[in-house]
Amino acid sequence: MQSVGWTVFNLFTDRNGVLQFNRGNWQFQLYRSPMNTKTAATELADKHRPLNGMLLFARLVPAAEGQQIVPGGNIDEVLHEYSELVYGPAALPPQRSRSSHDVATPISIIPPSRVPTTAAAAATATTTTGTAMAAQPASTGAGASSTAAAGTPQATSAAANTSSTSTAAATGTGTPPRAPSRTDGGSGAPSRGASPAPPSTTSAGAADATAGRGSAAASRAASRQSQHSAASGGAAGAEDDALQRAEAELRALEAENDQLDGKHDGGAETPQGPETSTGDGGDDEEEEEEKETAATEASDEPESLDLIDEETGVGVMVESFDRDDIGGDYVRIRATLYHDEKVVRNMDDEEMTWSSPYAQTGVSGTLGLTEWFKSNEFEQLPYLKGTKMVFEVVQMRQRPDPLKAVEAYAPFEEVAGWCAVDVYKRDESTGNPTYNMGQHVLSVKSTPLSLAQLSPQKKKKKKKKKSKKNRKNDDDDDDEEVKRAEDGDASLLDLSGGAGRSDLGSLLTVVLFDPDDPPRTKDVLLLLPDDAQDDAAVSKLPWLSVDLGKPKDVLFEQLDVNGFNVYVDSARFLPDNVSITGVFLWAATSEYDRAVEVEGEHKAFEYCDLNGFVYNPYYELWEEFRAPAFDPTTTLVIRIDTIEQGSKELKTVGFACINAFVEKGTTRQPSDPLTQEFSLNSGAFQLPLYIRHPKVGANDHFSVESFDDMPRLPCATVLVRITPAPTSADGLRILSRQDEDIHPDDFEKLGIRQPPVENGYAKGLYDTTRAIPSSVEQRLYNRRGQREDIRVRDVVPLVLTEAEDAYEFKDDDAYEDWMYDRLQVPPGTRFTAIPPIDLMRFAKYDPATGFQVSIDGAHNLDQGAKKKKGGVGGDDVSLALYSLSPPASYYQEFPLTEEVEFTNKWNWDSLIKSPEWLNGFHAFRSVPYNSSLVVVVDVREVVYRDQASMSMAPPASVGWTVLPVFTDDGYVRSGSYQLPLFEGAVRRDLLTKMQNYKDPFTLLQQELQAAATSSKPLELRLKEFASVFVRLVDDQRGAIIEGPRSFKKMNVDLLTLHPKITSVANARSSKYKYDAEEANKKGGFFSRKAPRALKSLMPPDFESTSQFRKKLFKEIAKATDIEHYNV
């Protein structure tokens, strides 16, 4: 025999000092075994788990009372009669929703405190202790009337007993009736703790007047009582009269209760009259919302917990963390269950919380995506509606010991972010609560954790009226936008729904699962092994987070001869279009006009290892710096050059820098050449490559900080070591490879040369804090790690010139001689004058990262053949619609607008005919590679239906053009372009034809040539010398654009489509040329009149250009049906 469940209840209750027996019919919740005999009835829900849907029905009757048992010899008949007794005919016990407030309370059902003496009295239930609970809501059509619950959980009463005892009482036969209850309107004073009936109520309706509900149920109970009495052969006529009187009284009470409900719901009665209001009505709205919320909560239907297994609970698996930045070196995820801002406890009174083990950034998963695939099961989880599972991202710098508990590292940790997920949801088919199973991708919020946010209150936002002072400041905001755009920061603007630059957010992926059906998992390397050399997977890691701290706190002494050595070991993840590479090293002081005195040449050079790899080359450059005195501001500068694939020309890949010395006991570079106490910045470092060298003027202070404003070449780095100069055994002599008495074979033994440690990067021997990757670099690093590298000797044939094709490499010395010659800077060339590598082909396109487009402006919109005949352009505010083709969804028979953007911020000082747009970059993500993909730029001019109200018709077409997005070999055509405009509206037929061309301008050139000999109106024609300025960039380059926004440094190759433009040089000096300063002069751009600025178009009733812009924005969005903006 096995115990299924158990319960406990009180036999007696202390009612105001009087001990009374808990007589009556009761319903009790059963709890899971084993039984705890020390538990009080009021503590059940706090300490034990209930059995869902399992109840115990019991009747407590004093033996002296002689109350009869429910009739019936068959158990089914007994249960049916019992349910009819308690709930009404054919009524089943209702399921109650169990919350933290009601789960602990066993439910009492109609305890018979006294037997009614008449059918009318039997129709209602009254209280002896001032308490009673409804067996079922009145809306269910079954149940007895009741009063509000009060008193102790077990001690509630007031019900009509419809057993044979009450039949005998009505007919005057059988068992003599008991004395009437003191609260049902009979004689005598009310018992202690009872609420006397109102004077206006009758004995038949006393309970209903108190409860305010259940009149219909009481009528049905009276009807059943009457039928039962008639069947017994009693005085049917008298009973019918009594029943009719009771029903009439109940109807009157019901109407009275409705009036009482109105008073309770609406407060004190007020005379009807006109509505009045004070203030702005905000408080009334909030009160109305609170009422609606309360009504919603009160109307929650009883829940069935059939889908909840509290014993098994729920499991959680932490899969991965896609982070926006690198942060700590080691990360763990802590999961905690919360309800009502408190930690949930299980049946053993233990807090329900769990933590994943620590994972090392850059080792677990991929870079930027830390993985665990670790899980935990929360068993004995009590159902509490609204429970949330909160995840905290905990990080630290110290390497954890896998054998120690994570709690041991609490003093070294910090919480970097948090997120939460609902543990329960509504089942779609039944509407009942169930576990929120499945994978959840959660957006991580910044700290500190706000428990109040776990159940936020809805509040209406009130619009704040702008003061005149704020409205006047709007013009200043516009000026700031112009400045930011000109500085190249237009991508930072978030324009009313326009998708400016948006970095990838931090996301946590977790899985909630059924412990009986756990999800699939996988083995993940969480921490870097102690011996990484034998781990092939670790040796290929793209980036590791390593912080080696400050250099040794040793004073660098100025002796007769002192010095240090510098090693450039290798480079990592260079761009796709490099081939053979060479590295230069030199030193410069803060004045940058003289080099550090060194033995031999001032610049060291080394080419890459012939047997090494192209994208991760080895150099093993070793340079000695020896001098009697050193400038403490010395900066070491490194430059990597290459023979670029494709052009076969010498190009600069990038620059790196590091300070040779630090202020003693710190990591700061000394800024004063007279600093006396400084130390050598000894150590091994990973340094980022910068695309350009900073400009250094005669009065500029040069240091490593001079490179801070230079754009970084994504993922490209160089590994450098700085070591003290070796000394003799007695410490009295500085050793050097220039010493004639030391044989080269002894260099390593004496420490004169220290070769790099094999696989030293994977072993964490290089400090990487200077090269922490951005969110964009993290994704690129992962792709770089999968890129197939090639040997240096295998790339040589790809960069041989025509004159070198016949060159035969007899041996490795011939290869090395050729590399040395090709990588030398031509005599007389400044070391910073080598052109940079073409970044268009630095990395293959990644659809997940996408690309960005910025439409910066237009020029000569008042030009063109149609303009001379009254056409459109240069008369009013213009804008540019832009989208992708294919699919060209906006230019189909039924236009779709979701994928169309338009410029909506203007530089109001720019010209009407040459407007500048300040929106900046818009990101296109998850766009698959298509060699025929183009950006369609559609220039429009606003057309007013009503100038006064600014009601607009669809903007008129001024001209259009396209820009190819991809190259044939899978790269984004990153760059700044000036594109010619074609007359009129976008040609849908040409967009369709372009899909069959690798270069759409081949088709356009053919169409222009055909149009030159035709007079058909639909032929393609150029809008004379009108153009647009567009920037396109692969988003893998992050913030690296072709410098700031500029209309002077543009790619003008496509302007040669114009028959009068015979070359690129001719295009730069033609009427296509844009000069903002020249344009604003009187007569500029071949005009006899002073050009008009856009701000001259603003109606006088607008207080600021910002206000005018917002109105334009709204009307343009309406006129074009492009409504996905948040206007």
Side-chain angles (χ1 to χ4, degrees), residues 47 65 514 836 877 920 954:
K47 297 187 177 181
E65 299 272 344
D514 182 349
V877 177

Side-chain angles (χ1 to χ4, degrees), residues 95 121 297 361 464 491 530 536 542 671 785 793 916 1018:
Q95 294 291 338
E297 293 175 353
T361 300
K464 296 182 178 180
S491 60
D530 294 333
S671 58
R793 66 171 65 249
E916 297 179 19
L1018 294 180

Side-chain angles (χ1 to χ4, degrees), residues 421-573:
V421 64
D422 291 316
V423 176
Y424 305 104
K425 67 176 182 178
R426 292 287 177 181
D427 182 69
E428 295 180 357
S429 58
T430 65
N432 292 323
T434 185
Y435 292 111
N436 192 14
M437 303 297 192
Q439 186 185 70
H440 304 274
V441 181
L442 310 174
S443 178
V444 178
K445 301 177 178 63
S446 60
T447 53
L449 168 64
S450 173
L451 296 178
Q453 292 183 27
L454 298 181
S455 54
Q457 297 293 330
K458 293 183 179 180
K459 293 183 179 179
K460 285 190 175 181
K461 295 182 179 179
K462 298 180 183 179
K463 291 185 177 180
K464 296 182 178 180
K465 293 184 178 180
K466 269 189 177 179
S467 65
K468 289 185 177 181
K469 180 179 180 181
N470 289 336
R471 288 197 296 270
K472 290 179 180 179
N473 289 337
D474 288 342
D475 286 337
D476 297 335
D477 296 339
D478 289 339
D479 295 340
E480 180 65 19
E481 289 163 6
V482 174
K483 182 179 183 301
R484 292 167 69 188
E486 291 175 348
D487 291 342
D489 292 334
S491 60
L492 301 176
L493 303 177
D494 186 11
L495 309 175
S496 301
R501 266 204 66 74
S502 58
D503 289 335
L504 304 175
S506 297
L507 303 173
L508 180 68
T509 301
V510 300
V511 176
L512 299 189
F513 62 89
D514 182 349
D516 294 333
D517 185 21
R520 292 184 179 180
T521 186
K522 67 177 182 179
D523 293 331
V524 175
L525 178 66
L526 296 178
L527 299 175
L528 189 68
D530 294 333
D531 187 6
Q533 184 176 356
D534 298 331
D535 195 318
V538 174
S539 65
K540 295 181 181 180
L541 291 173
W543 187 85
L544 288 176
S545 178
V546 180
D547 186 353
L548 299 181
K550 296 181 294 186
K552 292 182 179 180
D553 188 10
V554 178
L555 186 65
F556 188 84
E557 300 182 16
Q558 305 283 36
L559 306 174
D560 292 340
V561 176
N562 203 344
F564 55 91
N565 292 353
V566 177
Y567 301 88
V568 180
D569 295 330
S570 63
R572 293 173 62 82
F573 300 113

Side-chain angles (χ1 to χ4, degrees), residues 883-886 930-936 962-965 991 994 1000:
S883 57
L884 301 181
S885 176
N930 182 343
S931 60
S932 300
L933 186 73
V934 297
V935 178
V936 181
V962 296
L963 174 64
V965 176
L991 294 182
M994 286 178 191

Side-chain angles (χ1 to χ4, degrees), residues 27 79 111 122 126 181 358 362 379 657 661 702 708 790 830 972 1050 1064 1108 1112:
Q27 170 184 306
L79 291 178
T126 57
S181 170
Y358 266 105
E379 298 178 345
C657 66
F661 303 100
F702 180 74
D708 289 349
I790 55 178
R830 292 191 60 195
V972 176
M1050 310 289 288
V1064 172
F1108 180 44
L1112 276 174

Side-chain angles (χ1 to χ4, degrees), residues 216-233:
S219 298
R220 288 190 291 272
S223 177
R224 291 197 305 273
Q225 176 68 23
S226 174
Q227 295 169 5
H228 198 84
S229 301
S232 302

Side-chain angles (χ1 to χ4, degrees), residues 861-873 875 983 1014-1017 1021 1023:
L861 295 184
D862 59 344
Q863 301 291 313
K866 288 189 176 182
K867 181 63 181 174
K868 297 177 182 178
K869 300 179 182 180
V872 178
D875 296 319
E983 287 276 11
S1014 174
S1015 59
K1016 294 181 180 180
R1021 300 184 187 279
K1023 187 174 179 63

Side-chain angles (χ1 to χ4, degrees), residues 595-897:
V596 178
E597 295 295 334
V598 300
E599 295 291 341
E601 298 180 357
H602 293 295
K603 293 183 179 64
F605 169 76
E606 187 63 76
Y607 49 79
C608 58
D609 185 348
L610 181 64
N611 296 314
F613 294 96
V614 170
Y615 303 130
N616 298 275
Y618 303 117
Y619 298 114
E620 298 187 3
L621 182 148
W622 161 37
E623 184 62 22
E624 294 181 336
F625 290 83
R626 302 289 187 269
F630 287 89
D631 189 322
T633 66
T634 298
T635 299
L636 302 174
V637 183
I638 299 162
R639 189 186 80 213
I640 295 180
D641 293 344
T642 188
I643 304 299
E644 184 181 50
Q645 293 189 49
S647 69
K648 301 180 181 181
E649 297 176 355
L650 180 65
K651 298 289 184 69
T652 295
V653 179
F655 297 84
C657 66
I658 187 171
N659 48 302
F661 303 100
V662 296
E663 294 179 0
K664 190 175 182 297
T666 72
T667 58
R668 295 190 301 270
Q669 180 179 15
S671 58
D672 187 353
L674 301 179
T675 301
Q676 297 297 315
E677 292 191 351
F678 59 92
S679 304
L680 181 67
N681 190 18
S682 58
F685 310 93
Q686 182 179 21
L687 308 177
L689 283 181
Y690 297 91
I691 293 176
R692 293 188 293 270
H693 188 284
K695 293 182 179 180
V696 183
N699 298 321
D700 292 336
H701 180 93
F702 180 74
S703 69
V704 293
E705 294 181 354
S706 302
F707 285 84
D708 289 349
D709 295 330
M710 297 296 101
R712 280 168 49 170
L713 183 60
C715 300
T717 59
V718 61
L719 302 183
V720 177
R721 288 177 295 132
I722 301 176
T723 64
T727 60
S728 59
D730 57 9
L732 300 178
R733 175 187 173 188
I734 298 294
L735 302 182
S736 170
R737 62 182 172 184
Q738 303 296 330
D739 295 340
E740 297 181 355
D741 59 338
I742 300 177
H743 194 275
D745 293 342
D746 295 328
F747 283 171
E748 292 187 15
K749 181 177 65 175
L750 297 175
I752 297 175
R753 180 181 181 273
Q754 300 178 21
V757 177
E758 185 179 357
N759 210 9
Y761 186 83
K763 294 180 177 180
L765 301 183
Y766 292 85
D767 185 292
T768 65
T769 56
R770 293 166 177 80
I772 295 176
S774 66
S775 58
V776 173
E777 285 181 302
Q778 293 174 34
R779 290 187 178 275
L780 180 58
Y781 257 130
N782 296 326
R783 301 187 71 225
R784 290 295 201 214
Q786 300 171 2
R787 179 178 56 176
E788 183 179 356
D789 213 336
I790 55 178
R791 296 285 180 179
V792 172
R793 66 171 65 249
D794 296 333
V795 80
V796 170
L798 301 179
V799 291
L800 291 175
T801 63
E802 293 182 3
E804 296 170 334
D805 284 343
Y807 191 85
E808 295 183 4
F809 297 97
K810 298 180 181 180
D811 52 25
D812 288 355
D813 290 340
Y815 275 105
E816 291 175 355
D817 290 342
W818 174 83
M819 287 193 297
Y820 181 84
D821 293 338
R822 286 298 307 272
L823 292 170
Q824 290 301 305
V825 177
T829 304
R830 292 191 60 195
F831 62 90
T832 58
I834 305 299
I837 195 171
D838 183 6
L839 293 179
M840 180 184 294
R841 285 180 166 81
F842 96 107
K844 291 270 189 177
Y845 172 66
D846 176 19
T849 307
F851 58 90
Q852 297 195 60
V853 175
S854 177
I855 314 298
D856 293 326
H859 182 38
N860 288 337
L861 295 184
D862 59 344
Q863 301 291 313
K866 288 189 176 182
K867 181 63 181 174
K868 297 177 182 178
K869 300 179 182 180
V872 178
D875 296 319
D876 216 312
V877 177
S878 57
L879 61 142
L881 281 65
Y882 57 104
S883 57
L884 301 181
S885 176
S889 56
Y890 191 64
Y891 303 102
Q892 303 303 318
E893 183 177 358
F894 300 102
L896 301 177
T897 61

